[in-house]
Amino acid sequence: DLLGKHLGVPVWHLLGGKRINRVPVDYWMGRCTPEETARRTRQAMALGFHGVKMKCALGDPVAERVRAVRDAAPEFSVVLDANERLENPSGAMQVSKSLEQFDRVILESPLPQHRLDWYAALRKKIAHPIALHLTSLQQLLAALRADAADFYNLLGPLAEFTQWARVAQAAGSPTWRGTGIDLGIRDMSSVHAAAAAGCQLPSDIIGALLREDDLVVEPLHFEDGTIIVPDKPGLGVELDRVALEKYRVE
């Protein structure tokens, strides 16, 4: 941010240039009941989103939750982020089978990610595409060699992430930018990284919508399920020092 402001260029310029002007974004929710899933989906639709990412585990009412999403928003895409909690290929196949009636559903990290052999075998047995959430180039290269996933959710430092995403895309695997329901400064850094990487798939850069305050003066600009990539020098946002003082803990 400081370097961009010093040079008078946006952060995306320092990452190799902007490939997209808008970063696609999905809404996000944790594990909850089908009824709460429907309520949050209606909220997401009212905010202009076109898809939702939600946490899940083996034993959750996954099919009922996906049905709740589609009843509330028939055109929504769904990413089911299991954080490896479908346990084994049998569990993942069980969940996928329960979702056979639904299209546009992605299973993210359904199995322990060190078992790339499980992922490669699972891809041949289920209809739903699989995504892996990786945090290093070594992990990505191993997964690409194993043909372990259709898509990649990548999280790492800005310059490295941009390079990794381009490697995945060159191998024919679309990507999105991993996040952690962050505050405004980090959210905007993810916007610049995703723009420089040309991420085709929706990230979940929506910390500003889920937190009481995102600690930036002007909020991120959401429009029609995307975030507008700023062209101002640096990150294009300013730290809200009044809010910072309000929330500071001794």
Side-chain angles (χ1 to χ4, degrees):
D1 181 49
L2 289 173
L3 181 58
K5 288 176 179 174
H6 175 72
L7 297 174
V9 298
V11 166
W12 54 254
H13 178 84
L14 303 175
L15 298 175
K18 180 173 59 173
R19 294 190 172 189
I20 52 176
N21 293 314
R22 296 169 176 245
V23 174
V25 182
D26 276 348
Y27 200 69
W28 180 96
M29 67 179 79
R31 297 165 66 192
C32 55
T33 65
E35 294 76 18
E36 179 64 12
T37 297
R39 186 191 71 81
R40 296 187 189 187
T41 299
R42 290 191 294 270
Q43 181 177 353
M45 185 168 58
L47 290 169
F49 289 94
H50 303 290
V52 63
K53 177 177 177 178
M54 54 191 187
K55 300 292 185 179
C56 67
L58 190 63
D60 287 356
V62 177
E64 291 84 349
R65 293 189 67 198
V66 174
R67 168 60 65 192
V69 170
R70 291 291 168 77
D71 285 347
E75 302 304 318
F76 261 35
S77 60
V78 179
V79 176
L80 295 168
D81 184 6
N83 292 112
E84 307 179 304
R85 291 178 297 207
L86 301 190
E87 299 180 1
N88 53 49
S90 177
M93 290 172 64
Q94 174 186 328
V95 170
S96 181
K97 184 172 179 59
S98 75
L99 301 170
E100 285 181 343
Q101 61 186 305
F102 302 110
D103 62 354
R104 291 171 291 115
V105 174
I106 297 172
L107 300 182
E108 180 185 351
S109 302
L111 308 173
Q113 294 197 152
H114 70 281
R115 292 301 306 264
L116 295 178
D117 56 327
W118 282 2
Y119 277 87
L122 182 63
R123 288 187 68 200
K124 299 176 182 178
K125 295 179 179 179
I126 66 173
H128 298 103
I130 295 173
L132 275 169
H133 184 175
L134 305 180
T135 57
S136 75
L137 179 60
Q138 291 72 25
Q139 290 177 333
L140 174 61
L141 293 176
L144 290 172
R145 283 193 293 266
D147 202 19
D150 302 276
F151 310 130
Y152 289 94
N153 173 7
L154 303 174
L155 177 60
L158 301 188
E160 287 83 349
F161 160 79
T162 304
Q163 296 165 0
W164 304 343
R166 291 174 178 170
V167 169
Q169 292 161 11
S173 298
T175 61
W176 73 85
R177 167 70 176 177
T179 62
I181 314 303
D182 301 309
L183 294 168
I185 295 291
R186 185 161 182 172
D187 268 350
M188 187 55 84
S189 74
S190 291
V191 170
H192 283 265
C199 290
Q200 303 113 305
L201 298 177
S203 304
D204 51 346
I205 308 173
I206 65 162
L209 300 180
L210 299 179
R211 294 185 177 275
E212 179 177 327
D213 197 306
D214 62 356
L215 304 187
V216 294
V217 176
E218 295 184 8
L220 278 64
H221 185 186
F222 292 87
E223 186 176 298
D224 194 28
T226 66
I227 297 178
I228 310 300
V229 181
D231 291 327
K232 297 178 181 178
L235 289 173
V237 291
E238 297 296 333
L239 182 64
D240 186 341
R241 297 191 179 278
V242 174
L244 188 67
E245 184 62 27
K246 175 183 177 181
Y247 292 102
R248 184 169 62 89
V249 176
E250 295 290 350

